[in-house]
Amino acid sequence: MTVELRQESTQGPERDPEAVAATPVVPRRRNRERLHALDGLRGVAAFIVVLHHLLLVAQPVAQPSGEPALWSVWWWLERTPLKLLTAGHEAVLVFFVLSGAVVVLPALRRIDFSWPGLVASRVVRLLLPAWAAIAFATILLVIVPRLPAQVTGGSWLARQVQSDWSWPRLVVQLSLMGQVVPYDNVLWTLKWEFLFSLLLPGFLVVAVVLRRWWLPTGLLAVGLGVAGTVGHIQPLEYLPVFFLGTLIAVRLQAIERWSESRGAKRVLVVVLVVSLLVLIGEFLLAPVVRMGTDGSHALIGLEALGAAGIVVCAGAATGLRRFLEHRVPQFLGRISFSLYLVHLPVIATLAFALGDWNWPIVAAVGLPLALLTGWAFFRFVEKPLHKVARSAKRGASRAVERYIRSSRAA
């Protein structure tokens, strides 16, 4: 979820948000240097994750128990397309599809692509900022005590957010390999990002070999994801989502050419609408398919199809692409990984300090504070690590080349 959206390399030039124009940030012509729209989509998805966690703070206090009453505020928020604004888990699936697409593009576009270099770069780009985010979360936890009485018993904050700390537990959390990372809950996704990086050559080979049969191949990947979700098999639940992104990357030029043909835009509008509805199908159909059942889990598995459709529409020549190329989505895209890493410690700290019954204040203060903290984390932590990642990539590539040359000489 944290990859630079470039086709020529996994690390792109930085852009000053103050210098960006108010109209589309990039020309509408096809840009081969940077997939700006996908960058903007990544930013919008990160913002939705922030709104999702703010909603989780409010829910135990403000949401009535049981099914939301028809036409109530919570019905509008949970049972209509407005759910797209706070669909956090679904936004993560969009991240996974994006990673599957943009990480693969350099392997398709460059003859000097180095998989060991990519892995080394990804370790630096993902692991070091994650460690810094855990350190930041721990500092906040120490400074602002998290008293259980400040949040509703049995709520998400009470169950999932760390309320104390210890050195042994902190060391375990730094591995990022657990099912949850309570010091900064969002970091659970990085385990799958790492695993995808290791499996990338296999994913790419399969996608290239089966590119002509992209539709049945994509549907098979969705089917595997549904089976994994229903059967609670996490590798089967998440890895096919990355593969869908890889398949999109292999077909990207064909998608772009087709999107500029007559009649394609109308089809893409339908695809976008259907994809958005599929992405939140679990919530829209909750009155009919009760949450927690196998049917509901199957709908969750199908969300990957919606995420893939949204990424296709963002990469094609559509109005969505033009929207995502504007200033605000581009700024959010630039700080998206940092915002994703640090927003939850900020929101959790405010909720414990003020009490979750003061959720309107938590939301009013937490949203701008999370954005400001995300920008600062990008400026002073993530951005400097970009150079380290480039150095690690070059070093790993050269080490492999030297090893191959020495092996041949022997």
Side-chain angles (χ1 to χ4, degrees), residues 61 111 162 169 276:
V61 180
I111 60 174
Q162 195 75 32
R169 188 182 302 120
L276 291 171

Side-chain angles (χ1 to χ4, degrees), residues 15-355:
R15 305 172 63 220
D16 182 1
E18 299 298 329
V20 181
T23 54
V25 186
V26 293
R28 285 182 58 187
R29 64 180 176 82
R30 187 178 302 163
N31 191 313
R32 291 299 183 187
E33 286 298 311
R34 188 179 181 95
L35 296 172
H36 295 271
L38 298 189
D39 204 10
L41 179 60
R42 183 163 53 97
V44 171
F47 188 74
I48 289 173
V49 172
V50 178
L51 296 180
H52 167 71
H53 286 126
L54 288 172
L55 185 69
L56 288 180
V57 173
Q59 270 184 329
V61 180
Q63 183 178 15
S65 59
E67 182 69 19
L70 191 65
W71 311 119
S72 66
V73 172
W74 284 100
W75 180 84
W76 283 103
L77 290 175
E78 294 286 296
R79 300 293 179 260
T80 74
L82 288 177
K83 181 60 188 176
L84 289 166
L85 299 176
T86 59
H89 180 267
E90 293 70 25
V92 167
L93 296 182
V94 174
F95 284 143
F96 286 173
V97 175
L98 283 170
S99 289
V102 300
V103 175
V104 165
L105 286 173
L108 296 171
R109 305 291 176 133
R110 298 185 60 177
I111 60 174
D112 61 342
F113 173 79
S114 167
W115 177 59
L118 170 67
V119 172
S121 173
R122 293 273 285 172
V123 167
V124 173
R125 292 288 308 276
L126 296 175
L127 189 61
L128 297 187
W131 284 354
I134 291 176
F136 171 70
T138 304
I139 291 171
L140 290 182
L141 192 154
V142 172
I143 294 175
V144 182
R146 296 182 177 179
L147 304 177
Q150 290 291 92
V151 299
T152 304
S155 65
W156 169 76
L157 280 170
R159 292 181 291 105
Q160 298 293 330
V161 176
Q162 195 75 32
S163 59
D164 58 5
W165 77 283
S166 67
W167 283 112
R169 188 182 302 120
L170 181 60
V171 171
V172 172
Q173 295 302 308
L174 289 173
S175 72
L176 303 179
M177 289 296 108
Q179 296 293 334
V180 294
V181 186
Y183 282 95
D184 192 350
N185 303 57
V186 299
L187 298 183
W188 68 270
T189 61
L190 298 191
K191 175 174 68 174
W192 303 107
E193 295 274 1
F194 281 127
L195 187 55
F196 164 66
S197 298
L198 296 175
L199 297 175
L200 181 135
F203 278 40
L204 181 57
V205 168
V206 174
V208 169
V209 170
L210 300 178
R211 62 189 303 171
R212 291 187 178 181
W213 302 278
W214 59 270
L215 182 57
T217 302
L219 292 178
L220 177 59
V222 172
L224 291 174
V226 170
T229 306
V230 174
H232 306 288
I233 306 171
Q234 287 198 336
L236 205 57
E237 181 178 356
Y238 294 119
L239 291 178
V241 184
F242 288 96
F243 178 76
L244 289 173
T246 303
L247 196 60
I248 290 172
V250 170
R251 298 284 305 176
L252 184 60
Q253 290 186 352
I255 291 171
E256 290 181 320
R257 288 194 300 267
W258 172 77
S259 69
E260 294 170 350
S261 63
R262 179 180 298 181
K265 288 181 173 57
R266 293 182 181 178
V267 175
L268 286 168
V269 169
V270 175
V271 170
L272 178 60
V273 171
V274 172
S275 297
L276 291 171
L277 295 178
V278 170
L279 191 68
I280 55 171
E282 175 200 9
F283 299 94
L284 298 179
L285 296 176
V288 179
V289 183
R290 188 165 56 88
M291 288 188 173
T293 63
D294 287 346
S296 177
H297 290 143
L299 291 174
I300 295 173
L302 284 173
E303 290 172 355
L305 182 61
I310 293 169
V311 172
V312 167
C313 292
T318 62
L320 175 63
R321 185 169 77 178
R322 291 193 295 273
F323 164 74
L324 293 171
E325 289 171 349
H326 279 74
R327 175 164 54 184
V328 173
Q330 288 294 299
F331 172 73
L332 290 173
R334 187 184 180 196
I335 68 167
S336 58
F337 185 38
S338 293
L339 177 62
Y340 182 80
L341 290 179
V342 301
H343 77 275
L344 187 53
V346 170
I347 292 171
T349 300
L350 284 173
F352 274 95
L354 301 175

Side-chain angles (χ1 to χ4, degrees), residues 11-12 14 121 124-125 128 379 381-395:
Q11 175 61 44
E14 302 303 332
S121 173
V124 173
R125 292 288 308 276
L128 297 187
R379 178 66 179 80
V381 178
E382 183 188 354
K383 185 177 179 180
L385 288 173
H386 289 176
K387 295 181 180 179
V388 180
R390 287 195 292 269
S391 297
K393 179 181 178 180
R394 289 192 296 267

